Amino acid sequence: MAPVIVTEGVTRVYSDDGVPVHALRGIDLTIERGEFAALVGPSGSGKTTFLNVISGLDTPTDGKVWLNGKLLSRMSGNALSDFRRDNIGFVFQAYNLIPVLTVEENIEYIMLLQKIPKAERHERVLAILDEVGLGGMESRKPTQLSGGQQQRVAIARAMVSQPATIMADEPTANLDSKIGAELLDMMYRLNMQTEMTFIFSTHDPMVMARARRLITLKDGQIERDEVRSP
Amino acid sequence: MLKIAFRNIFRQRRRTVLTALAMIVGFTLSSVFIGWSDGAYSDIISMFTRNRIGHIQVHRAGYLDKPSLYDVIEGYESIGEKIAGVDGVEAWTPRIYSAGLGSVGDKTMGVQIIGVDVGREVKATQFDRKITRGAIFSDAAREAILGVGLARILKADVGREIVLVTQGTDGAIANDLYTIIGIAKSGDKATDRMACYLHINDAQDLLVLNGRVHEIAVIAEALDRVPKITAAIEAQINDAKLEVSPWQVVAKSFYRAMQADRQGDLIGRMIIMLIVAIGVLNTVLMSVLERTREYGVLKAMGTKPSQIFGVVVAEVTFIALGSIIIGAMCGASLNYLLSIYGISLPQEFSYGGIVFQTMYAAVTVRSLAIPAVTVLVSAIFVSLFPALRAARIAPASAMRTH
Ligand SMILES: Nc1ncnc2c1ncn2[C@@H]1O[C@H](COP(=O)(O)OP(=O)(O)O)[C@@H](O)[C@H]1O
Ligand SMILES: [Mg+2]
């Protein structure tokens, strides 16, 4: 099977007021279709930076990234926007729903960019809301939902356009552990039901316990990479 | 996308209200400013034209460039009849001009002899209202009315006599004695220092004009119809020897001064708009900064920079359109009130020899269209910079928690 993500010698050096910060120091990694992988490591180990780089939100200082077989550094800004829109779903730590849009409008946003007709959008929104257990909440505003519910909407938003990969940066960090566990179980189920690949960063042991692959980062390098059976 | 822009308006109500308020105040101020100056200008123009030179003048071709005693209009009465028949003409009046010397007692001055048809002149330019002392012409022969300035220089007063010396069209020196029956104040100092009005028949006798005149001044019903009426009169008279000129041509320097003044308020308006623009820039930049994460999320999800740019510009445009509607209502109603009640000036104000006591505004298309365009253009222009900033937000910032 074709790998979804391949990286080769990826480094990222930030310049913090002129002082170089080596966030990633040569990462070689391959992630196959359908994986449910966790990036773990202490704070500052480079998890967020790595997710940004492999999703094309950030460009590596050196090294190469292939996403679905495409070399990201070859793509122009607009092509990259379209590529992200069609291939990656994002779930952020702070939910990051658009506050002025309803649940339905938040979820259908990407489909709107993809110019999918209204009827189909509506149908898919209702279907995915059922999947994440939020049936009937489509016309609420994000502020009327709890944190866990908002994160479910974020997952629905990421998944609704059926991208190959879902990238989640510490999706449970702002939730209490019971809600976080439920959310992860849900993500696990969705991963099993679909072909979608899930990559998420975490430093929550309860989340790590549910991952099928644990990639441990330390000081911008892979310290350990283990496949587990949950 | 537009939905986001539109709903963003209502997020920071106070900020939106402040932005809108800046635009509304700017709009209203400049609308009143323009409406007021439009009102004042049309007052000045109508006083200058209506009460003095007339809206349109007919002369022998070339007279305006180089007035000459010999450039006369033949058969002015029948031409006058034709002019009176043109739609939109309110009145017409014939005039004779000549230079001469005037003596009262032992004082002598160069004068401008102006022959007028009293009845017509009163109807056309309210000549009777210009008489400050004495009376207007009666039917008696050889009466003169002097401009105030001239009367002062000659130390003349009503009841005394003036000797006029000039040259007639026959080439001979002509002189005669006239009784001063009145003093006139036209509002134009230069005219008042020179003018010696005679009855048109006396002037024709003195200058040997035999029923001919130099000028026919025409009053139109409305200032804005002058160009059309000018063309209509031209067609009606249909005489290549005669020239029909609107006031803009007759009083070129006055007209130019008015135009130049209008450019003056343009600068005033720009300053008002600049203030608005700075207010808008501030608030828009603030909201872009505040929404960095949100725009980052939109970009991460595949929104193109140009679309983010559009969201910011659209939000400002929505606010601007709303402000324009409110501002237009405020501006129009203020101008309307000012056009009825006017503003009494604490001090008399004179422009081009015309004295004003109360100034009235006017509700004009200009007074709404110019601020509308200026507000919209400056708001959009000012939003470009924050919009560019929003468009350039790194999508990776969406991932950052702090
Ligand atoms: N925009 C940035 N500018 C400078 N340094 C940064 C920036 N983002 C991250 N870093 C640094 O890079 C390192 C890795 O950060 P990050 O990828 O956020 O780690 P993690 O997500 O594992 O906590 C840290 O030392 C952090 O301070
Ligand atoms: Mg992080």
Side-chain angles (χ1 to χ4, degrees), chain B residues 300-314:
Chain B
M301 289 195 297
T303 311
K304 295 191 176 71
S306 56
Q307 291 170 308
I308 302 282
F309 186 86
V311 168
V312 176
V313 174

Side-chain angles (χ1 to χ4, degrees), chain B residues 299-349:
Chain B
K299 280 185 86 173
M301 289 195 297
T303 311
K304 295 191 176 71
S306 56
Q307 291 170 308
I308 302 282
F309 186 86
V311 168
V312 176
V313 174
E315 184 183 343
V316 176
T317 307
F318 283 138
I319 299 175
L321 289 177
S323 307
I324 285 170
I325 293 169
I326 299 170
M329 292 191 283
C330 297
S333 37
L334 266 172
N335 279 337
Y336 180 69
L337 288 177
L338 284 173
S339 75
I340 295 172
Y341 300 108
I343 291 179
S344 300
L345 300 175
Q347 227 183 341
E348 274 191 354
F349 155 77

Side-chain angles (χ1 to χ4, degrees), chain A residues 14 48-49 52 57 78 81-82 84-85 90 92-94 96 98-102 105 109-110 113 157 169, chain B residues 1 3-4 7-8 11 293-294 297-307 394-396 398-401:
Chain A
Y14 291 111
T48 300
T49 305
N52 283 344
L57 293 181
N78 272 343
S81 286
D82 286 348
R84 268 204 308 272
R85 179 193 71 195
F90 289 96
F92 306 101
Q93 177 181 338
N96 285 348
I98 304 301
V100 292
L101 300 180
T102 63
E105 287 161 349
Y109 184 82
I110 292 171
L113 292 179
R157 175 176 69 177
D169 192 22
Chain B
M1 221 46 111
K3 217 185 277 177
I4 295 178
R7 293 197 191 148
N8 273 342
R11 274 171 80 175
R293 168 96 70 102
E294 212 171 300
V297 170
L298 291 180
K299 280 185 86 173
M301 289 195 297
T303 311
K304 295 191 176 71
S306 56
Q307 291 170 308
M399 287 284 201
R400 300 271 159 223
T401 22

